[in-house]
Amino acid sequence: MRIRSYLAILVLSCLLGAYMLEQVLNYHFEHVQASASKHTKSLLWAKDLERIDNSASQYLVTTDLVVASGNTYLIFGAKNMGDYLTAELAKLQSQSPFVSINNKIENAIININEINGYLDIIGRTPEDDLPMQLRDLLAVYDPASLALFQNLEFISKEVTASIQKDAKYLEQEKALMEQVGWIARIIFLLLIIALWWWANRKICKPLNGLIASSHKALKGSDFQSTNNAPSEIIELSNDFKLLTQTLFHQASHDPLTELHNRRVFERNLSDIIDDQKHSYFLCFIDLDYFKTINDTCGHAAGDEILVSVARILKENVRPQDTVARLGGDEFAILLKDYSVSSALLVANSIKDSIRDLTYHWEDETFQLSASIGLAPKLSESTTTNLLNSADIACSLSKNAGRNTVHLYDASNQSSAEKQQEMLSVHQINNAINNDLFILYKQDIVPLQQQKSGKHFEILLRMLDSNDNIVSPANFFPIAERYKLSSKIDRWVLNAVCEHFEKHINQVDNMDTVSINLSGHSLTDNDLEKFIIDKIKHSRLPPAKICFEITETAAITNTKRARDFIHNINNLGCKFALDDFGSGHSSYAHIKEFPTNKIKIDGTFIANMMGNPLDYTAVKSICEIAKTAGQEVIAEFVEEADVVEALTKLGVDYAQGYYFSKPEPLAPTS
């Protein structure tokens, strides 16, 4: 039965009772009937106001979510609710028996229209400008929402006071009739009480239950829907349940991948820290080269890849494991009750599945890979050190050539962890200013009979405050983040030239010395002038210098990279395109940049004998490079069968632990 049916029964009963009393009380009862009718209408009007108050509360909660957190998907529903409120308030105003509140109703309508205007502004604001726009709108939204709340509160209080006043007057009128017919009045009173109890049981009690469930849902409990109630309340309850479930899902899941978001992940991580009954592994997954694909193919392609990666993660774990997207191209998994071997098996399966993931765009095929760090939860683990352990393992995975899985071992890596924690921008600046860097070298060995000579690459290490050797994997990301890499490149070139000034005999015995340049150097005009001036005044012949730049750095600013290479090429220096293939870029880059050598990314070399795709990629790069008249260098060479395969493919030079490990640059005897 619907509420209007209950109300119809209630009103009809009151009218019948009033009619009977009218026959007994005659004129006095007619006066009381008029007062009672007015009071009843006021009560009905007040119930409509109560319904609008409930809707206004939901409206303000929704608009708070939109303005405070930028949840733009709620704007449409919020505006509809605002339009509904203005229409209902206008209707209520036209039927209002209380003249004193008309202005407040009008003000409330103005407040709602003003808030809807702010929602329109948010909806039209581009996503990049949204955080700044929200901060500006918050200053004007808060007064408008506060004014709406105060206007509705005033209306409610005024109506309550008026109704109470009318009720008091009605009671006074009834008191005058007691001498006329106390029996009739008692019967009528009993009738009213019975009707009130019935209406309360049928309408008010379910509404109170709905309000209580809403309050519990706001505190995080499940919303309990109402079953035994008028159909309108049941419909409203079901809508509230669906809304709370939707909002909870949206608040706890990433909207793109439907994985848990960072908030849920951190809550689950905090929960497992105190769980001593089960074992856990924390797995960090960082996609390699995702930014390049995203920038090259567009955000739609990036989103498609992220969805595919999310599907891979869910397919490789069990329902009791937590899979989350932390943001960007970073994911995390909490593995429950796995052995070390099982956890590694899952991580490697994920790595291989991501590696097999391909994306086709404009007649090109792009491949993806992932660096994965795995850290066990120990009995003394805290949230912070478990996160740090997994992060360090993921970083070491990247440093190992990417597309790898690294298991964190506290006994072997505690010193490295402290080193990373203590390393600062100040230390890097101190190393630059006080020559605390050390030059290393690694041989580049000819593979073809027609190739000869001594070739090596200059590598860099840093000394910390305790004179410990620090790998560039630990300090160079910080240097790039704070734009110190150009200063380091300047130091390296200066140190190389000074070394060969002092050991000029080494110059005659070598064919090529390769020097790495960072991505920031390609856009540094001052560094370009320094390099040109240094080479012109150095005793190191330009023809024996080969600068290595990464493919991903070159394609971020193609025109500037091409001009940079051209200007230094004019001196006689050579250039090598390092880590080729890592950016999943077009082979057109081979002819686009005036380089002399192609250095194939080590991740392809390391896996080429076991992965047909990597072998095919190496073969394809060799064929294209040879056609373009460029020499090919392979890095990360560690096995004899890899050397044999590279030689057959026509690779000119190889570099890796199979031939030699990096050693300090020192004068030969």
Side-chain angles (χ1 to χ4, degrees), residues 57 65 73 209 363 550 571:
S57 298
L65 285 174
Y73 52 81
D363 298 327
T550 63
L571 300 175

Side-chain angles (χ1 to χ4, degrees), residues 278-293:
H278 304 277
S279 62
Y280 293 90
F281 279 87
L282 175 56
C283 182
F284 266 11
I285 301 103
D286 192 350
L287 302 182
D288 304 324
Y289 320 119
F290 173 76
K291 185 179 185 301
T292 302
I293 299 177

Side-chain angles (χ1 to χ4, degrees), residues 469-665:
I469 299 294
V470 182
S471 167
N474 291 332
F475 68 80
F476 214 82
I478 300 174
E480 288 190 322
R481 186 181 310 158
Y482 292 98
K483 303 189 183 305
L484 296 175
S485 52
S486 294
K487 291 185 178 180
I488 295 177
D489 289 346
R490 187 187 297 258
W491 187 95
V492 170
L493 180 60
N494 195 59
V496 169
C497 291
E498 287 184 0
H499 172 84
F500 287 110
E501 291 282 349
K502 296 177 182 178
H503 308 95
I504 194 64
N505 60 310
Q506 293 184 13
V507 176
D508 298 330
N509 298 327
M510 73 175 187
D511 282 77
T512 307
V513 55
S514 296
I515 303 172
N516 288 282
L517 293 178
S518 64
H520 291 300
S521 296
L522 300 182
T523 57
D524 190 335
N525 293 324
D526 292 336
L527 179 64
E528 179 184 329
K529 295 176 183 177
F530 172 81
I531 292 174
I532 293 173
D533 183 69
K534 194 69 181 178
I535 292 175
K536 285 182 177 179
H537 297 88
S538 172
R539 297 178 66 184
L540 184 61
K544 294 191 176 187
I545 300 175
C546 178
F547 289 105
E548 294 188 5
I549 59 172
T550 63
E551 181 198 7
T552 50
I555 65 174
T556 54
N557 193 334
T558 304
K559 184 180 183 303
R560 181 68 188 103
R562 189 166 52 244
D563 292 342
F564 183 94
I565 296 172
H566 178 76
N567 293 339
I568 296 179
N569 258 339
N570 289 338
L571 300 175
C573 299
K574 300 181 180 66
F575 271 84
L577 201 56
D578 195 9
D579 292 342
F580 187 82
S582 63
H584 307 284
S585 302
S586 168
Y587 286 139
H589 293 146
I590 295 180
K591 64 179 182 179
E592 188 170 356
F593 300 112
T595 56
N596 310 95
K597 304 179 181 183
I598 297 297
K599 202 167 188 179
I600 304 175
D601 184 68
T603 57
F604 292 104
I605 304 300
N607 301 312
M608 64 178 289
M609 301 309 295
N611 190 324
L613 288 176
D614 287 343
Y615 183 90
T616 303
V618 173
K619 180 180 178 181
S620 175
I621 293 172
C622 289
E623 292 173 351
I624 297 296
K626 291 297 183 181
T627 303
Q630 301 208 36
E631 294 181 321
V632 181
I633 305 171
E635 55 184 356
F636 286 23
V637 178
E638 299 183 359
E639 304 292 340
D641 58 343
V642 175
V643 175
E644 183 179 353
L646 292 173
T647 304
K648 290 180 179 179
L649 290 176
V651 174
D652 299 292
Y653 299 94
Q655 177 183 359
Y657 281 12
Y658 178 79
F659 302 105
S660 64
K661 293 185 177 181
E663 59 182 12
L665 179 66

